[in-house]
Amino acid sequence: MEVSGLDSDGKEFKNAEEMWREQIGEDGEQQEKKTQWYREGISYWEGVEASVDGVLGGFGNVNEVDIKGSEAFLQMLLSDRFPNARNNQHLVALDCGSGIGRITKNLLIRYFNEVDLLEPVSHFLDAARESLAPENHMAPDMHKATNFFCVPLQDFTPETGRYDVVWVQWCIGHLTDDDFVSFFKRAKVGLKPGGFFVLKENIARSGFVLDKEDRSITRSDFYFKELFSRCGLHIYKSKVSTLTLINKLINSVLNSAKLL
Ligand code: SAH
């Protein structure tokens, strides 16, 4: 990828290859360094409190505007792609890197009959399981969280044809480029016909920014597009939203990609 980037100490990289070489090594040593990259990412999150503020990096106040923006985007997609959803269509979603289940609880569970959650950090997934436990008064066919998978994205292969929507928010930066591509390629088989991915992620102004603390990278829009084309995916709809925080701007892009 011919884009220059930075790490969180301000160090510059000529291109993404140089950064990945430093982080996960050359071919021979790659397995060990890559394992370490993922281990450090997980151990960062293992030290974070299982709360909305925790999974949002201290910006818990973003929750509401994030969910509202996502809801408008999801409604538009669902009415485009599943115009007959009201007619007893059984919709299933997967919440990837779900953390404590914030997105499932505030959004997905209201639109999907079943939601599966995938999250590699067990104390987050335990919190999700607890807060999404079915309530006694619920009818058996109510919307519910069904499966809780405690695995990272790079090791996950979905059940064939199970999902209408695979939601990936604020976690794909933990994946290396190759694992990003192979995850989406494997995950495609998990989509029902007409199903789609939603990727919501912060974007770098250009190139990429490596966060050495949690072992993740923020990619630019261009970088994402290059990776989507390697995945054989194209963008169906995309929306940029700007979440304004006190003295801080986070640019977030919603990309909905569907199969070519
Ligand atoms: N998507 C949630 C959580 C965001 S925090 C939300 O928006 O509320 C980032 C999450 O990514 C954490 O829960 C972290 O444990 C998870 N994560 C870290 N590495 C991951 C990996 N390799 N695969 C999947 N999820 C990962």
Side-chain angles (χ1 to χ4, degrees), residues 37-38 41-42 45-46 52 54-57 63 66 95-103 118-121 124 151-155 167-172 174-175 214-215:
W37 161 274
Y38 284 119
I42 296 300
W45 289 107
E46 280 171 345
V52 170
V55 294
L56 295 182
N63 178 54
D66 167 58
D95 183 355
C96 293
S98 67
I100 60 166
R102 183 185 67 86
I103 303 164
L118 174 150
E119 168 55 49
V121 170
F124 284 168
V151 284
L153 282 176
Q154 68 274 14
D155 297 338
W167 194 279
V168 185
Q169 179 167 348
W170 288 334
C171 61
I172 204 72
H174 284 287
L175 265 59
D214 68 4
R215 296 288 149 189

Side-chain angles (χ1 to χ4, degrees), residues 33-65:
K33 280 196 99 175
K34 201 163 111 169
T35 309
Q36 190 182 341
W37 161 274
Y38 284 119
R39 202 186 313 118
E40 287 176 13
I42 296 300
S43 68
Y44 171 83
W45 289 107
E46 280 171 345
V48 171
E49 186 187 81
S51 65
V52 170
D53 221 30
V55 294
L56 295 182
F59 298 108
N61 56 343
V62 160
N63 178 54
E64 205 177 323
V65 53

